[in-house]
Amino acid sequence: MRLLSLARPMRYSFAAVTKDQVNYYNVLEVDQSATENAIRAAYAELTRGLIPELDAKRFKELSEAFVILTDLKTRDAYDSLLKVRKTHYLS
């Protein structure tokens, strides 16, 4: 008998929909339709010359946006969150 494998939990949770939540597309200065290569290029450009020890908050924000937007499953979940946020706060 084969046991069912448990699905791994997502690394990031998007349960809380808040109006003030950071838009990761704006953080990386890319459009929502940007390709993975465009996101990688934007991340490289924005982190070039940035010293993590001196600007830890900005570096963490850029890194978090990069991780979320380059993983396809996480990006899809994030895009769904953006749709919910737009419909909830614009209506």
Side-chain angles (χ1 to χ4, degrees):
M1 184 159 115
R2 186 176 173 152
L3 297 174
L4 295 175
S5 63
L6 298 175
R8 279 182 28 192
M10 287 187 64
R11 187 172 172 185
Y12 294 96
S13 174
F14 301 112
V17 177
T18 63
K19 186 176 183 179
D20 300 326
Q21 189 173 6
V22 175
N23 185 327
Y24 293 126
Y25 292 104
N26 291 343
V27 169
L28 292 177
E29 301 173 7
V30 294
D31 292 333
Q32 194 168 352
S33 61
T35 64
E36 185 176 342
N37 288 335
I39 292 169
R40 289 181 187 279
Y43 176 76
E45 181 68 29
L46 292 170
T47 56
R48 185 174 293 127
L50 188 67
I51 301 171
E53 291 82 15
L54 298 178
D55 199 1
K57 184 178 178 183
R58 176 73 175 145
F59 189 78
K60 181 180 177 183
E61 188 176 57
L62 288 168
S63 297
E64 188 173 300
F66 175 75
V67 168
I68 289 173
L69 296 181
T70 54
D71 179 41
L72 186 59
K73 287 183 181 181
T74 311
R75 185 176 180 178
D76 287 342
Y78 180 71
D79 289 343
S80 297
L81 171 75
L82 288 179
K83 287 181 185 178
V84 169
R85 189 185 332 163
K86 284 180 184 177
T87 58
H88 180 68
Y89 287 107
L90 292 179
S91 58

